[in-house]
């Protein structure tokens, strides 16, 4: 259950600094036991810098499992989600250069774990 | 239309300080690439509008695009800028996160409004992402000396042209690369390095002696000597490489100047380098797109297992 809602009202998310601030808030909330749901309905564009600093860094620091267990997205546009997915993929790939599609392997594993927990 | 290329390829006497031939302009049309470079250098030399000696229609236009505000003077333009965020985004000095984010939103609002049909969807999404990256990078690298602007104008046939531009008077690529210990020897090599995917000086170093400001500081009271830096060094360096790819994908024009080199990309995707008679201290970039050429590109979604799984995992 994602019990801590964050509604983003900006139409364009650009700066790393703003992303780092939000990332810090998310980390604090998760540390205090919450699960965060981010409403991206108002967002029309997200820069690679912003997506990387927020989602990419969380995935790198805590892993894809942790990220998807503690952070959910809602109402995002397809383009926005694609940028977020690209940022996470880039970060996970940069962790193990040369490994074939480490991001996809991590995603498959996270999905498997989620499914086994739900049984 | 005179742009960044025309600004830096003139036979005028240029010096290192004060007002020189660089600021002489004729009664003609000038694009955002021209204006951002023009104002960035004027501001770096503490020149005001009177020093620039602009006259006639050009002066009226310069005031409309907020040149006075950009130069740190009182804005005397008497009308509402009703078309800002529609046809153009005025000159904005990128010296705070708030102003940078505001400029990104305004330029992207122009792009979404002008290219609002389905056929432009891929172009709009791609370019809006890149504008965000670009302006954030100028804010991060430009030492609070960067300016942005965007403008639409009628094309030679049907349709229209749209250009956005940024210019700063920061270190420039060569000095920035040398600062982090790279053995790049000239401006052209520096540009070539910076447009390679994954290359960013921010990945290599955050200046140990950089004056730091708290994250929530409003504006920048320390001018070019201080800037806000993130607590950690997370830059991935994707902006310029993606921009170059997008310019080629959407058959646009790109001019990227740093030091005495300029990269030019033509609508047919040809890249060439030009030696500038007027070197640019810092980085200046302008991108121009023709509404007739940016349609009919790759499909929005081609199926991706990683994206599909991630969408399931992150669904609320």
């Amino acid at each position: 259950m994602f019990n801590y809602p964050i509604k983003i009202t900006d139409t364009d998310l650009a700066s790393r600094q703003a992303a780092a601030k939000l990332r810090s808030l998310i980390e604090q909330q998760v540390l205090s036991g919450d699960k965060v749901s981010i409403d991206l309905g108002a967002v029309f564009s997200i820069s690679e810098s912003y997506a990387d600093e927020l989602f990419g860094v969380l995935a790198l620091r805590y892993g894809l499992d942790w990220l998807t267990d503690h952070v959910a997205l809602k109402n995002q546009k397809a383009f926005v989600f694609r940028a977020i997915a690209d940022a996470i993929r880039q970060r996970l790939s940069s962790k193990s250069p040369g490994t074939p599609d480490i991001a996809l392997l991590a995603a498959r594993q996270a999905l498997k774990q989620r499914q086994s927990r739900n049984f | 239309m005179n742009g960044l290329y025309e600004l830096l390829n003139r036979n005028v006497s240029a010096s290192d300080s004060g007002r020189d031939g660089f600021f002489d302009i004729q009664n003609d049309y000038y694009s955002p690439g021209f204006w951002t470079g023009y104002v960035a250098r004027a501001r770096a030399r503490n020149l005001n509008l009177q020093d620039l000696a602009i006259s006639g229609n050009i002066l009226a236009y310069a005031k409309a695009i907020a040149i006075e505000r950009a130069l740190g003077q009182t804005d005397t333009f008497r009308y509402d800028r009703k078309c800002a965020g529609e046809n153009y985004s005025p000159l904005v000095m990128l010296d705070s996160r708030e102003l940078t984010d505001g400029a990104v939103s305004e330029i992207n609002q122009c792009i979404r409004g002008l290219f609002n049909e389905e056929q432009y969807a891929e172009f709009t999404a791609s370019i809006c992402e890149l504008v965000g990256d670009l302006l954030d990078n100028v804010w991060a690298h430009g030492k609070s000396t960067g300016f942005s602007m965007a403008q639409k104008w009628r094309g030679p046939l049907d349709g229209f042209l749209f250009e956005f531009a940024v210019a700063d008077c920061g270190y420039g690529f060569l000095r920035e690369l040398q600062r982090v210990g790279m053995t790049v020897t000239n401006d052209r090599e520096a540009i070539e390095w910076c447009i390679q995917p994954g290359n960013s000086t921010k990945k290599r170093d955050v200046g140990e002696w950089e004056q730091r400001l708290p994250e929530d500081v409003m504006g920048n009271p320390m001018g070019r000597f201080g800037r806000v830096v993130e607590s950690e060094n997370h830059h991935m360096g994707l902006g310029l490489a993606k921009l170059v790819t997008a310019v080629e994908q959407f058959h646009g024009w790109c001019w990227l100047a740093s030091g005495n080199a300029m990269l030019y990309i033509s609508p047919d995707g040809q890249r060439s380098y030009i030696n500038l008679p007027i070197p640019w201290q810092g980085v200046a970039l302008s991108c121009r797109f023709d509404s007739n050429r940016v349609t009919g590109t790759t499909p929005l979604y081609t199926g991706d297992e990683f994206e599909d799984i991630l969408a399931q995992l992150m669904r609320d």
Side-chain angles (χ1 to χ4, degrees):
Chain A
M1 177 65 184
F2 291 90
N3 61 335
Y4 189 86
I6 295 175
K7 189 174 176 66
I8 295 182
T9 53
D10 295 325
T11 54
D12 298 276
L13 304 178
S15 73
R16 279 188 181 273
Q17 202 182 64
K21 211 169 173 177
L22 181 56
R23 191 186 70 234
S24 172
L25 171 69
I26 290 169
E27 286 173 308
Q28 280 171 26
Q29 290 309 129
V30 172
L31 275 175
S32 60
D34 290 328
K35 291 194 173 196
V36 178
S37 169
I38 306 173
D39 186 339
L40 292 163
V43 178
F44 285 102
S45 83
I46 181 168
S47 73
E48 191 122 6
S49 304
Y50 189 104
D52 175 57
E53 191 71 33
L54 176 51
F55 299 102
V57 171
L58 285 175
L60 181 73
R61 190 177 279 177
Y62 303 105
L64 194 62
D65 267 354
W66 183 96
L67 175 64
T68 54
D69 277 350
H70 296 94
V71 180
L73 305 176
K74 61 194 251 191
N75 300 326
Q76 69 276 12
K77 291 162 186 65
F79 293 116
V80 172
F81 184 72
R82 188 173 64 180
I84 292 169
D86 281 348
I88 294 172
R89 183 173 10 219
Q90 291 276 357
R91 271 295 170 183
L92 294 176
S93 304
S94 73
K95 200 175 172 183
S96 308
T99 312
D101 215 343
I102 188 83
L104 180 58
L105 296 176
R108 283 176 180 159
Q109 196 182 346
L111 183 63
K112 214 171 177 178
Q113 282 174 1
R114 171 83 59 91
Q115 286 166 341
S116 64
R117 273 204 307 270
N118 290 344
F119 270 115
Chain B
M1 182 64 78
N2 296 284
L4 181 61
Y5 175 86
E6 287 75 14
L7 178 70
L8 301 178
N9 279 280
R10 293 179 295 159
N11 291 316
V12 291
S13 59
S15 64
D16 292 328
S17 62
R19 192 201 188 284
D20 59 22
F22 180 85
F23 299 101
D24 296 344
I25 55 176
Q26 310 301 317
N27 192 17
D28 205 343
Y29 293 102
Y30 299 94
S31 77
F34 187 99
W35 283 112
T36 48
Y38 187 86
V39 165
R41 187 172 290 198
R43 182 79 191 231
R45 295 187 182 181
N46 290 319
L47 299 175
N48 60 37
L49 188 58
Q50 289 68 38
D51 297 326
L52 298 177
I54 303 171
S55 60
N57 291 339
I58 308 291
L59 179 63
Y61 179 77
K63 286 189 174 186
I65 59 170
I67 193 169
E68 291 166 301
R69 196 172 60 197
L71 292 170
Q73 297 177 259
T74 304
D75 185 1
T76 63
F77 188 62
R78 288 177 297 160
Y79 308 99
D80 284 343
R81 293 187 172 90
K82 286 181 183 165
C83 292
E86 291 179 19
N87 294 330
Y88 77 105
S89 170
L91 287 160
V92 176
M93 186 176 188
L94 307 173
D95 69 341
S96 73
R97 178 170 72 77
E98 290 75 18
L99 286 174
T100 304
D101 285 345
V104 170
S105 293
E106 195 167 62
I107 293 173
N108 284 350
Q109 205 180 316
C110 289
I111 295 171
R112 284 193 290 269
L114 292 168
F115 299 93
N116 63 0
E117 291 160 35
E118 188 54 35
Q119 58 183 339
Y120 297 125
E122 178 73 4
F123 169 76
T124 303
S126 303
I127 299 302
C128 287
E129 267 180 39
L130 291 168
V131 167
D133 272 322
L134 193 60
L135 269 63
D136 185 48
N137 275 332
V138 170
W139 154 237
H141 285 266
K143 316 288 177 201
S144 299
T145 63
F147 290 85
S148 68
M149 186 186 156
Q151 173 82 62
K152 167 218 168 188
W153 66 92
R154 196 176 300 162
L157 304 168
D158 290 343
F160 60 88
L161 298 168
F162 180 79
E163 181 174 309
F164 62 87
V166 289
D168 71 48
C169 296
Y171 288 153
F173 292 144
L174 181 59
R175 197 172 147 206
E176 181 88 7
L177 292 179
Q178 290 174 340
R179 190 178 69 86
V180 297
M182 291 196 58
T183 54
V184 176
T185 56
N186 61 55
D187 291 306
R188 176 179 170 162
E189 280 179 24
I191 293 177
E192 285 171 341
W193 190 88
C194 288
I195 61 171
Q196 293 303 310
N199 284 356
S200 166
T201 57
K202 291 284 180 192
K203 280 165 72 178
R204 304 173 68 89
D205 173 55
V206 168
E208 201 179 332
W209 303 104
E210 193 75 65
Q211 294 290 313
R212 291 183 178 222
L213 299 171
E215 273 198 3
D216 57 350
V217 70
M218 297 291 288
N220 185 349
M222 293 160 73
R224 70 184 57 186
F225 299 108
R227 67 189 175 104
V228 180
V229 293
E230 291 88 65
S231 55
E232 291 167 70
N233 186 10
H234 288 142
H235 289 252
M236 286 288 284
L238 301 158
L240 280 175
K242 283 189 75 175
L243 183 79
V244 164
T245 303
V247 166
E248 290 172 350
Q249 180 186 354
F250 296 109
H251 311 291
W253 294 259
C254 175
W255 296 267
L256 173 59
S258 188
N260 60 20
M262 173 183 271
L263 166 67
Y264 168 62
I265 303 175
S266 61
D268 60 2
Q270 293 294 312
R271 296 182 189 187
S272 55
Y273 284 86
I274 300 154
N275 280 320
L276 295 173
I278 304 176
W280 183 256
Q281 171 60 55
V283 176
L285 169 86
S286 74
C287 297
R288 187 181 297 173
F289 295 96
D290 181 338
S291 61
N292 289 317
R293 285 173 168 261
V294 299
T295 58
T297 57
T298 52
L300 303 183
Y301 179 71
T302 52
D304 180 273
E305 190 184 349
F306 176 73
E307 262 189 61
D308 291 342
I309 296 175
L310 193 67
Q312 287 183 57
L313 291 169
M314 296 194 81
R315 191 174 298 136
D316 183 357

